[in-house]
Amino acid sequence: GSAVQKRNSEHMKQRIILHLDMDSFYASVEMQADPRLRNKPVVIGADPKRGRGVVSTCSYEARAFGIRSAMPVSQAFVLCPHAVYLSPDYPLYSKVSAEVMTIIRSYGFRFQQVSIDEAFLDVSPLGSFCEAATLAEQIQATIEKNLGLTCSVGIGHSKLVAKIASDFKKPAGLTVVEPAGTQDFLAPLPVRKIPGIGKKTELALFDLGIRTIGGLAAYDIGKLVTEFGRGAAALHETALGIDGSEVEEHMDTRSISREITFDTDTDDPGLITTTMDTLAEEVYTGLVQEDLSFKTLTIKVRYQGFITRTRARSFYHYTSKKESLRTCAHSLLREMMEDRKVRLLGIRLSSFEKQDARQMTLGL
Ligand code: TTP
Ligand code: MG
């Protein structure tokens, strides 16, 4: 018991993890590219002309009207009809993302990109949280100067704490959580701030009277296991800020995936189709960015009531064609549709081959 605890806390003291997340990324990139959009409510979403699909993201000015990611564009229209509605320009976001990542990487610390707009650095060699904060300010200033974009940074003793911290103060925030202050920092936050806790788990926790991370940390672990099964122990550790996972520089690109949870469960075929189009477009961008071709495509549909179905198809040859990807995604989706409302849609590409490797083989 106490020996393990001691080892854990020593390990915690050694590590200093920085998490950086761009502010309203797609919207900020658009506002940077077109000065006329600055200081305006800007909404990025699929098919804004016909008002279908969901909101990818929106500027902080638009958030003031209550608009949020994953909300149907039609609902955003109601909340703020005078906002500027744009369809996403993925190639542009990919390019800017690569520029952001180059800057973050350039400081020479162990680096891990986790999505288009966020990354971890293991800055433990700096030796103190104070030095880490100075570095964070430098990175923020460089990104702002070179790209005209703001980001928010969190620093903590684990990836988990750093990630929660980067979300604590947005936009352009810097939140440093020293190891000794971790539990005081986490305790008052709502449980949904823990990455991976969605609406469903949040509601289940509410039923137990648990609303905050502190409430979860203090809850009887035995009762939690009865309620949530084997996952409960990990959930409990998370509430204490414990997360031993490392910043992984060389992650295997084993899959490229994206999923969207609808704000409200839907059976609108138009919304479902355009959302699948958006997801296909996004994973395709990832594929191009990584210079890969793929063989296997998997579609995930979660229905109301948490029933989740997946269906995969493998191509005979590797492909990097957008049209094959789209057609396959839609045909799998058609095969899977049930007479039930949809809560979540996901798409995953796997079984990759490097494009240039393929070209080399063909060139022989
Ligand atoms: P986020 O970092 O979650 O959101 P954000 O950068 O727009 O805003 P924040 O300031 O709160 O960090 O996601 C990064 C990008 O991913 C976002 O700009 C658009 C895209 N995205 C979607 O397309 N759909 C979604 O539901 C979410 C959450 C993000
Ligand atoms: Mg972001």
Side-chain angles (χ1 to χ4, degrees):
S2 81
V4 171
Q5 246 166 14
K6 182 142 184 292
R7 190 146 37 81
N8 274 342
S9 67
E10 271 166 14
H11 182 58
M12 281 175 200
K13 261 180 228 144
Q14 286 161 14
R15 289 209 301 162
I16 309 174
I17 311 295
L18 185 155
H19 181 260
L20 183 150
D21 188 296
M22 300 302 292
D23 299 324
S24 57
F25 185 56
Y26 294 1
S28 301
V29 170
E30 296 287 355
M31 291 159 99
Q32 172 56 24
D34 182 353
R36 289 171 302 179
L37 298 176
R38 285 180 207 159
N39 306 314
K40 289 195 180 149
V42 174
V43 180
I44 313 296
D47 198 9
K49 284 212 186 68
R50 279 180 293 168
R52 297 205 316 206
V54 295
V55 172
S56 292
T57 193
C58 60
S59 66
Y60 278 79
E61 290 82 352
R63 292 181 200 196
F65 291 89
I67 302 176
R68 293 288 180 273
S69 291
M71 177 183 279
V73 174
S74 55
Q75 194 183 339
F77 265 133
V78 174
L79 291 169
C80 185
H82 69 277
V84 181
Y85 289 85
L86 300 171
S87 50
D89 180 353
Y90 299 112
L92 175 64
Y93 310 149
S94 275
K95 180 180 146 273
V96 177
S97 166
E99 288 165 357
V100 169
M101 297 306 156
T102 302
I103 292 173
I104 303 173
R105 226 187 201 125
S106 71
Y107 292 85
F109 295 96
R110 187 140 44 88
F111 163 90
Q112 180 183 359
Q113 178 175 355
V114 278
S115 81
I116 192 159
D117 85 327
E118 57 180 313
F120 287 104
L121 283 182
D122 185 338
V123 298
S124 308
L126 288 176
S128 81
F129 278 71
C130 185
E131 289 293 317
T134 305
L135 173 76
E137 283 167 354
Q138 264 178 43
I139 299 176
Q140 286 177 306
T142 307
I143 292 177
E144 181 142 26
K145 180 166 154 277
N146 295 6
L147 304 174
L149 298 170
T150 64
C151 61
S152 300
V153 176
I155 297 173
H157 66 59
S158 66
K159 285 167 82 172
L160 172 80
V161 173
K163 184 165 167 77
I164 295 174
S166 74
D167 184 56
F168 185 71
K169 190 167 168 259
K170 261 184 165 290
L174 170 57
T175 304
V176 181
V177 182
E178 303 231 10
T182 300
Q183 296 200 13
D184 286 344
F185 168 71
L186 295 176
L189 300 178
V191 285
R192 107 182 80 81
K193 292 289 175 185
I194 296 175
I197 293 201
K199 276 187 197 164
K200 175 91 180 177
T201 312
E202 186 183 28
L203 286 177
L205 290 169
F206 280 5
D207 283 345
L208 300 176
I210 302 171
R211 294 193 167 261
T212 62
I213 299 183
L216 178 57
Y219 202 81
D220 183 85
I221 178 77
K223 284 189 199 157
L224 219 50
V225 171
T226 318
E227 201 66 30
F228 292 98
R230 284 146 147 258
L235 193 63
H236 200 249
E237 286 208 325
T238 301
L240 298 167
I242 299 170
D243 165 27
S245 69
E246 297 283 350
V247 176
E248 288 180 65
E249 176 90 54
H250 300 291
M251 279 245 297
D252 245 12
T253 317
R254 273 201 222 101
S255 68
I256 298 177
S257 63
R258 272 291 282 133
E259 54 183 55
I260 285 182
T261 305
F262 291 104
D263 209 47
T264 329
D265 299 352
T266 183
D267 52 8
D268 172 357
L271 181 63
I272 292 169
T273 306
T274 36
T275 302
M276 184 48 74
D277 266 338
T278 306
L279 292 169
E281 188 78 38
E282 290 187 22
V283 291
Y284 174 73
T285 304
L287 196 70
V288 172
Q289 204 175 12
E290 309 265 348
D291 199 26
L292 298 170
S293 36
F294 75 99
K295 225 165 163 175
T296 305
L297 191 151
T298 309
I299 295 294
K300 172 158 114 184
V301 184
R302 177 167 298 150
Y303 295 95
Q304 208 164 36
F306 233 62
I307 305 150
T308 308
R309 310 229 184 280
T310 60
R311 203 175 177 104
R313 182 170 299 159
S314 287
F315 291 92
Y316 189 64
H317 295 292
Y318 290 98
T319 181
S320 57
K321 288 203 187 75
K322 181 151 84 172
E323 213 32 55
S324 318
L325 195 165
R326 270 200 62 204
T327 312
C328 181
H330 284 291
S331 93
L332 283 174
L333 184 64
R334 267 195 305 278
E335 292 169 24
M336 289 167 77
M337 283 320 284
E338 290 179 17
D339 208 10
R340 242 191 260 275
K341 287 197 172 182
V342 174
R343 169 164 301 175
L344 171 151
L345 284 179
I347 181 167
R348 189 170 87 238
L349 306 181
S350 53
S351 318
F352 297 119
E353 184 184 61
K354 206 65 179 162
Q355 279 283 70
D356 51 8
R358 179 187 157 87
Q359 276 153 14
M360 266 165 54
T361 322
L362 292 176
L364 282 176

